[in-house]
Structures are given as structure tokens and as C-alpha cells.
Amino acid sequence: MSDRPSFVLFMTDQQRADWLGCAGHPVLETPNIDAIAASGTRFVNGFVAHPICMPNRASLLTCRMPSVNGVRHNGLSLPLDSNTFVDCLRRAGYATGLIGKGHQQPFSDMSARMQRGEWDTDPHTEARLVPPGTVYRDENADRWAADPDHDIEPPYYGFDHFDHVSRHGDGSGGGHERWLREHLGEYERLIGPENQLPHDFVRPDAIRTALPEEAYSTAWIRDRAIDFIEARTESDRPFFLMVSFPDPHHPFTPPGKYWDMYSPDDMSLPASFVGMEGGTPLYEMFRNRRPEPGAFRGALERVDEREATEAMALTAGMLAMVDDAIGVIRGAIGASAQADKTVQIYTSDHGDMMGDHGLMLKGPVNLDGILKVPFLWSDPQRPSVATSDALVSTIDIGATVLARAGARGFNGIQGIDLTDALATGSPVRDQLVVEHDGHVPIPITGDQWPPRIRTLVTPEWKMSVYLDQDWGELFNRDDDPQEMRNLWDDPSARDVRAELTWLLSHELIRTVDRSPLPIVLG
């Protein structure tokens, strides 16, 4: 058998860092995910590269920041000529698979709300020419539904195998929807708000699905992940498997027993629910914006106590189902011949405000609720520290996998190999940057363009700068972990702000692409 390790990367969608039992959540129980942490390392300062689905998933695969890899916000596909760390593993002889949500290309045909040219009909509209015949619609849910023969041709961003889910909630689309159609017949009568079971929740995105637990996307992903692992039980070839759950992203649709596994009455509101002192105009706009009664929610919103605790309870139910699925998958790993050399990793693509500052979901405010995500690493062959305070980013995951696999990377990787941090807990960087290029125009930031934010995080401080604005955010991470006092205009923090601005300028220079390298001197 090969001595090279295999890897299983578990990923959720829209899960904040503190929503795990091992992270100290007072109510939620996640024993199977906690077991990954118990046998490895939990990074307590895991940050995204960008707090939106597609940009951060592109950063995960490329180990490059969104401003460099080309996916600055949702609705932009990762270019097909992109090099990914999964490509590197595949070239090194690894079997590669993705089960669940990929989101390297758009799910929908919804019109973008930004001013733009006629990209789809005129390839000369943007700075980069689109090669003739290039269509970034492989993950489009409507295309999967309309064309029974449509499939994704491998390798897909490095993945030789892809069982695809293309939406959230009980109507998950893609390969899962095709399976539902084959096995449940008129499954449409079981999904969506129009077919939901009775309940007394007030949130319009709380949908008590009639879809059975075993037909729900989490179970479908679980079963296909097990199939992938068992098919390679006796193989000498190492593998990399990404198991990507679309939950607990809204709408909130935990099926069966998971719907009422947790009660809103068991959930506590965070201290920051009342808001912060010195909030920016953009922050205050969201704090004062309430959706129309009964309107479906899709982005950052102000909520009352009942709406917040309902979302918390249903999120806990969705995560409980994910945890149960991971327990079964871990059992399959343990029963395989690769059990003693399979590295298990757990993370999420971004967080959720989940009641922080009276807000829910995500949007252009770079607060910890959406920036910080779980990051667990367990390697049965290499002991590691139980917890690490090192500042780590989504872009570090692929770089660390490549180092552990002994696989060659490529010029342009911006992530850092975390091998030393795993072994000793030592810092790997003095500061990191989180980008946020919004995709929804908000008049308060001027010219009808979306907010553009750069956030610098150090062990003690966190500063967010908004393009073309003289306001921003500055928090002392030690004294104010819930970010309730914005020190941006505080005279006592003026020198700190100046120093952080200097550090941010260096990090922005560091982020500039260094690929390709020159091939001659001139």
C-alpha cells in the first residue's frame, strides 16, 4: 500500500466558527465533528478569504485571494484555465472526488444587479476575452432539470468524480434532483413552502419540508461519499474527497426529526444583539432595515428576537443532521484500508450573523460572525496541538494539503503551509487580509456600486476600510471580542489605526499576483 495520505475535506455552507460543540456552543451537540477536533487541531482564528460562497470556494481551490483568482463575488465563474490544488493532487496520482455543493460556476440565471455589458452575447465587453464556445453553466440548476443528459465532464477543476448539488434547502437541484425524480416520482409535491408540513414558526424561510430524511440532500451526499470511499477500500491509490453539504445555509429546512430537535426557547441571544457603539452608516442602514412581512429573506437583515431564535434552532437541527452524516462517513473511513492514513479536515465557506448585532444571514459588513469559520485538521500519522491561535485563512487549506501529500504546487499559490502551526501551534503570519467586493448596489456607498471592503486582522486588532468612505471599523479583539465598540474615530486609537493602515498597505502589495513569472529578462 502507498504511504501517501488520503484526505477527506468536510465542508458546510454558512456556518460560523462558534457553532460547534467543540467550540463551546452552549446548546448544539456535534459529537462526530468534535471527534475530528479531539484527534487533531482546532484553529480558533480561522478566517475566510471572502465571506460569500463563490469567491471563498474559488479561493479554497486555487489557494489564491478573490481579487487574484477572478471570482470577486457571486455570479462569476472560476475560469476553466485556473490551476487548483486538486489539479496538483490529480497530477501527483491522487483519485479526486467532490460530493455535494461545488459552486465554482453559477447555479442560477438570475440577472445581476450590477451595471455591466452584454457579456453573454458580446465577448469583447470585458477586459478578458471569452474563448468561443465557452459556457459557464455546468452547475446551472435549470440546465440540469431541463436536460436529462447533461452532466459535468471531468476533470472539473481537478475533480475526476463529481456528484452535484446545485441549490439549498429541500429543492437542491443538480444530480440530487435527478435522483429524486427517479426514486420519488413526483417529488415536487414534497418540497417548497407550498407543500410544507404545519408549524408555528414565523420566519418565511422556515420551511418544514415533507421530504423524508433519507431523501434529503445531506443523506444523499452521505451515501455517495461512502460509495466513493468503499470503492477505493482495497486500492493502493490515495484519494482526495471533498464532502460539501449545502446546509445550514438558508432556507431553513431540516427534515423529519431534525425540525424540532432544538427549540427556539433553548436559544440565547448574543450580547451584541442590541448593536454596537459607533456603527458605520452602512451598519446602521442594515440595523434599521426590516424586510416586508412574509417576504423571503436572501441577504443581511434586521430581525426580532423570535425570528433570530427560530433561525438558531433550525440551524442547529440542520447541523445535527450534518453531524450524524459525518459520523457515518467517518465510520466508512475507519473501516477502510486507508483508515490509519486518512487526514480529515472540516471547514465552512463563510459564517452567518446569527443574531449578532440584531442581524441575520450575511452581507457587506465584515464582522466576525461571517468572517470566522470552523477549521479542524486531524492527521492519524502526525500528532498536533489541540488548539492553535494562529491566524489562518481558507487559502491555507490547499497549501497544507499539498505539503502533507508531498505534491508539487504551482507558482501563484498565496496560502501558507500550516505544518508548523499544527505541530507546535506557532504563528504563521503577523496579520491577514479578508476581501469583500459586494455584488448588490447600495446607494449609501455611492454611485450605485456595491461596497468594497478590505479587512486587516492581527492577533489584537481588526480594521475594515471601505472604498471611498471616510468611515470604517476598528475593534480591539482582546478587549471587545463581540465587536460592540467601534474605535475608528476614537482619538486614543489614532496611532493604532495609522499603524494598521501601514500594515494593510503591505498586505495589499503582497496580494498582487506573481504568476506568471517572466521567462526572459526582456
Side-chain angles (χ1 to χ4, degrees):
M1 296 290 287
S2 170
D3 291 331
R4 294 186 295 173
S6 290
F7 301 86
V8 176
L9 168 59
F10 297 106
M11 190 172 195
T12 56
D13 194 325
Q14 199 160 298
Q15 180 186 359
R16 45 188 290 148
D18 52 4
W19 270 67
L20 287 174
C22 61
H25 195 281
V27 178
L28 175 64
E29 296 180 359
T30 53
N32 297 298
I33 301 170
D34 295 351
I36 301 175
S39 60
T41 297
R42 180 172 69 89
F43 288 97
V44 300
N45 282 312
F47 285 83
V48 296
H50 188 303
I52 301 292
C53 301
M54 293 185 74
N56 203 53
R57 288 170 181 268
S59 287
L60 169 69
L61 292 190
T62 62
C63 313
R64 289 154 62 82
M65 295 297 288
S67 58
V68 176
N69 68 45
V71 186
R72 303 179 312 281
H73 44 72
N74 278 356
L76 285 169
S77 295
L78 182 61
L80 288 169
D81 60 357
S82 299
N83 214 346
T84 71
F85 83 88
V86 186
D87 282 310
C88 297
L89 292 173
R90 183 172 174 271
R91 287 191 291 269
Y94 273 73
T96 57
L98 168 55
I99 315 290
K101 180 181 177 181
H103 217 183
Q104 277 71 59
Q105 297 183 16
F107 287 169
S108 76
D109 289 321
M110 293 174 58
S111 296
R113 283 176 277 182
M114 295 177 65
Q115 299 174 11
R116 55 170 294 156
E118 297 176 354
W119 175 264
D120 291 324
T121 57
D122 183 356
H124 306 98
T125 300
E126 301 281 3
R128 293 180 179 175
L129 298 177
V130 179
T134 302
V135 179
Y136 288 101
R137 293 293 185 272
D138 280 332
E139 298 185 51
N140 181 272
D142 292 337
R143 184 179 182 189
W144 275 80
D147 181 1
D149 296 323
H150 173 64
D151 207 343
I152 294 175
E153 182 178 349
Y156 189 69
Y157 300 104
F159 293 105
D160 283 319
H161 179 94
F162 187 12
D163 289 319
H164 172 53
V165 171
S166 61
R167 281 195 294 254
H168 302 104
D170 57 355
S172 54
H176 179 227
E177 182 180 30
R178 189 171 291 171
W179 179 89
L180 288 174
R181 187 176 294 111
E182 294 172 356
H183 291 80
L184 287 183
E186 296 181 339
Y187 76 94
E188 294 95 339
R189 296 185 178 183
L190 300 174
I191 65 173
E194 66 277 10
N195 297 310
Q196 65 180 313
L197 302 174
H199 65 84
D200 59 359
F201 281 52
V202 300
R203 289 190 64 96
D205 53 2
I207 301 170
R208 189 169 193 175
T209 182
L211 197 68
E213 290 175 23
E214 288 304 303
Y216 192 73
S217 62
T218 299
W220 185 83
I221 291 167
R222 174 201 66 204
D223 292 346
R224 270 133 203 86
I226 292 171
D227 289 345
F228 183 96
I229 293 166
E230 291 181 344
R232 290 154 182 81
T233 297
E234 301 303 326
S235 173
D236 187 49
R237 186 183 182 190
F239 65 83
F240 174 85
L241 174 63
M242 180 173 170
V243 183
S244 181
F245 300 98
D247 279 4
H249 191 291
H250 61 286
F252 305 100
T253 59
K257 67 176 179 286
Y258 298 101
W259 172 267
D260 52 8
M261 183 171 284
Y262 293 90
S263 168
D265 296 335
D266 296 331
M267 300 297 163
S268 300
L269 296 172
S272 67
F273 190 80
V274 298
M276 77 168 71
E277 176 187 340
T280 68
L282 187 61
Y283 168 88
E284 295 297 340
M285 184 205 78
F286 284 117
R287 283 269 304 168
N288 293 316
R289 188 179 73 172
R290 288 276 291 158
E292 293 294 326
F296 191 83
R297 288 81 184 271
L300 196 65
E301 59 167 34
R302 175 70 182 273
V303 289
D304 60 29
E305 294 184 12
R306 179 65 187 178
E307 292 170 327
T309 55
E310 284 183 358
M312 292 177 185
L314 296 178
T315 295
M318 295 162 89
L319 283 171
M321 187 174 189
V322 168
D323 184 75
D324 285 345
I326 288 177
V328 179
I329 297 170
R330 280 172 48 82
I333 297 170
S336 73
Q338 305 240 21
D340 63 348
K341 51 189 175 184
T342 298
V343 176
Q344 298 182 40
I345 310 160
Y346 185 92
T347 192
S348 191
D349 62 353
H350 56 79
D352 188 308
M353 291 303 292
M354 201 58 65
D356 286 0
H357 302 272
L359 301 171
M360 281 296 304
L361 310 180
K362 60 186 181 293
V365 289
N366 275 11
L367 299 173
D368 276 0
I370 61 172
L371 298 194
K372 293 185 70 175
V373 291
F375 184 9
L376 315 177
W377 178 288
S378 175
D379 185 338
Q381 294 184 327
R382 293 189 179 181
S384 62
V385 296
T387 59
S388 172
D389 292 325
L391 295 172
V392 297
S393 171
T394 297
I395 62 175
D396 301 333
I397 294 175
T400 309
V401 168
L402 290 177
R404 182 65 181 89
R408 180 180 179 182
F410 55 88
N411 175 50
I413 286 180
Q414 297 175 322
I416 295 175
D417 171 16
L418 301 178
T419 298
D420 289 343
L422 288 164
T424 67
S426 58
V428 296
R429 51 168 65 85
D430 295 325
Q431 59 269 332
L432 61 73
V433 170
V434 178
E435 301 178 352
H436 196 154
D437 283 281
H439 63 286
V440 178
I442 297 176
I444 199 169
T445 54
D447 298 329
Q448 295 294 308
W449 283 98
R452 302 180 68 184
I453 315 167
R454 295 296 182 267
T455 296
L456 183 81
V457 184
T458 74
E460 184 180 1
W461 296 95
K462 178 179 162 196
M463 181 183 73
S464 292
V465 177
Y466 294 73
L467 180 65
D468 294 333
Q469 309 303 324
D470 58 5
W471 40 262
E473 288 157 341
L474 176 62
F475 301 106
N476 186 310
R477 300 183 66 222
D478 291 332
D479 297 341
D480 184 22
Q482 296 207 51
E483 302 177 321
M484 296 181 65
R485 185 183 177 208
N486 182 9
L487 301 174
W488 180 267
D489 289 323
D490 190 318
S492 67
R494 186 174 300 151
D495 290 344
V496 170
R497 187 173 133 192
E499 180 184 0
L500 294 176
T501 302
W502 170 257
L503 293 175
L504 177 60
S505 67
H506 281 264
E507 290 304 311
L508 294 179
I509 295 171
R510 199 187 318 277
T511 301
V512 173
D513 201 356
R514 299 285 287 174
S515 176
L517 291 173
I519 58 174
V520 295
L521 291 179

